[in-house]
Amino acid sequence: MLYDTIIIGSGLAGLTASIYASRYQLSNLIIGKLPGGTITLAHKVENFPGFPGVSGLELAQRVIMHAKSLGAEILPEHVSNLTVVEPNGGTPYHFKLVTESGKEFLAKTIIATTGTERRKLGVPGEKEYLGRGVSYCTSCDAPFFKGKTIAVIGGSDAAVTGAIHLAGFAAKVYLIYRKDVLRAEPTWREQAEANPKIEIIYRTNVIEILGDGQKVVGVKLDNLYQNSEVLPLDGVFIEIGGVPVSSFLVPVGVNLDENGYVQVNQKMETNVRGLFAAGDFTTQGLVLQQAITAAAQGAIAAASAFRYVKSQKAAKLQSI
Amino acid sequence: MEYIFTDQNFDQEVLKSELPVLVDFYAEWCGPCRIMAPVVEEIAQEMEGKIKVGKLNVDENEQLAARYGVMSIPTLILFKKGEPVKTMLGFRSKEEVLAEIK
C-alpha cells in the first residue's frame, strides 16, 4: 500500500502530525520505537496549556489515544533504511522505508520526527556502571536511591526538575553544573535553591565516574569541592541534553546543520521535496525544545504534507 | 501467559524452572516500564512453551531487585537454570528482545 504520509517517530511531534494528517484525510502510518517519545520521561509537565501538573507519561498516553481514535496505526520499530524510488521515471517520486524487522512501506511524503537521544558524558566509568548507579532517567530510577547520596549532572529544566524529584527520595542531592547560573526556568531554579537536600556545585565538570566493580561509589571532579577532587556518591544521573537522531536522513540528501539538526523552513519543509521534519531534532525545534512546540511543528508539517499531496494530484491530472 | 513473580514464588517459579525465564523488573511509577509492558506480554504469548515470561514489581519485592543489582528500570533479566545469564536495560522493542534471548 502507498501511504499519503509516513511519520517516522512517535513522540509529540509525530503523534500530532498524525492527528492533523488523519483529519486532512491523508492515509498515514507512524513508525516509532518509543510511543510518546521523550516527554514520557518527564515526571511532571507544568507548562502544557490545559494540563496543569500532568505527568509526561499521562500527557503522552492522552495524545496516543487521541491519534489512535482518529485511525492512527503505530508500528513500534526503527526505520533501518529510507530511499527515494521513482515509479514513473521521475515524477512524482515515492519514498520507500524498510524497518529493522524487514517490513517495507511506500509513501508519497515523509514527516520525520525522531527527536533526540540522550547525550552521554563520555567519561570513564559511565558505560561500565550504567544501571549500577549511572542513570539517564530520573523519573524511572529515583526510588532506587531512597536515603542515598546522589548527583545530577546538568543545569537544564530536565536536570533541575530531576534533582527536585530525586530529593523526594534521596538523603542528599548534588547538582553539578559547568557554568555559573543554572539555565532552567527561574521557578525551577528557585525551588532547587530552596530545597534543603539539594546542594548546587557550579563551574565544575565530572571527569570520571568511580566504582568498586559492583556499583558507583563516587565521581572525580575537575575542581576541588570541599578540598577534595572526589565526591562520594551512590548514584549519578546524567541530564546534559540530547543529540539529534538524524543520520538516517543523510542518504536521501537532507541538509543538516553542523550539529546534525535537520534544516527546515517555517513550513517544516526540508530541502528534499515531499520530506518534512518536526520537533526537537530540527533547527526550528532547537529554538525551544518543548512538548508544545514539538506538537505545533508536527501540525505545520502535516499541513505542508497535505498541500504537497494535493499539488501532486493536481499536477498529475494536468499531465493526463 | 504472563507470570507474576514475587519474593515468595521466585525460587520455585524462576530459579527452579526447567525452561529459561525472562523477568521484567518494573514499577507502576516508571513511564518506560508501562510502555514496555505490552511488549513483554506479546513476548509471553509468542514464546509460550519455550520461555517462561513474567513481571516482578520492584516496590513490592525490594529484596529481589537488590539481590540482582537492579538500580534502573525497566530491566529484563533472562535466567537459565537459576542463573541470570543476560540483562537488558531500558526500553527495548520486541524484535530486540527476541534477538537477545533466542
Side-chain angles (χ1 to χ4, degrees), chain A residues 33-35 40-41 57 100-101 130-133 139-141 143-146, chain B residues 29-32 34-35 58 62 69-73 89 91-93 95-96:
Chain A
K33 199 181 139 186
L34 178 63
T40 58
L41 303 179
L57 179 68
E100 57 186 341
S101 71
L130 175 65
R132 298 191 289 159
S139 63
C140 307
D141 299 337
F144 291 106
F145 297 89
K146 282 176 199 149
Chain B
W29 36 259
C30 155
R34 306 226 315 237
I35 296 166
V58 297
E62 279 184 18
V70 175
M71 296 171 87
S72 184
I73 50 174
L89 275 178
F91 180 83
R92 304 288 176 110
S93 69
E95 283 72 23
E96 283 175 292

Side-chain angles (χ1 to χ4, degrees), chain A residues 104-127:
Chain A
E104 290 186 11
F105 299 97
L106 282 175
K108 293 179 190 169
T109 62
I110 295 290
I111 301 176
T113 66
T114 39
T116 56
E117 60 189 9
R118 303 302 296 277
R119 185 188 298 279
K120 307 279 189 289
L121 201 55
V123 300
E126 182 177 14
K127 228 195 235 158

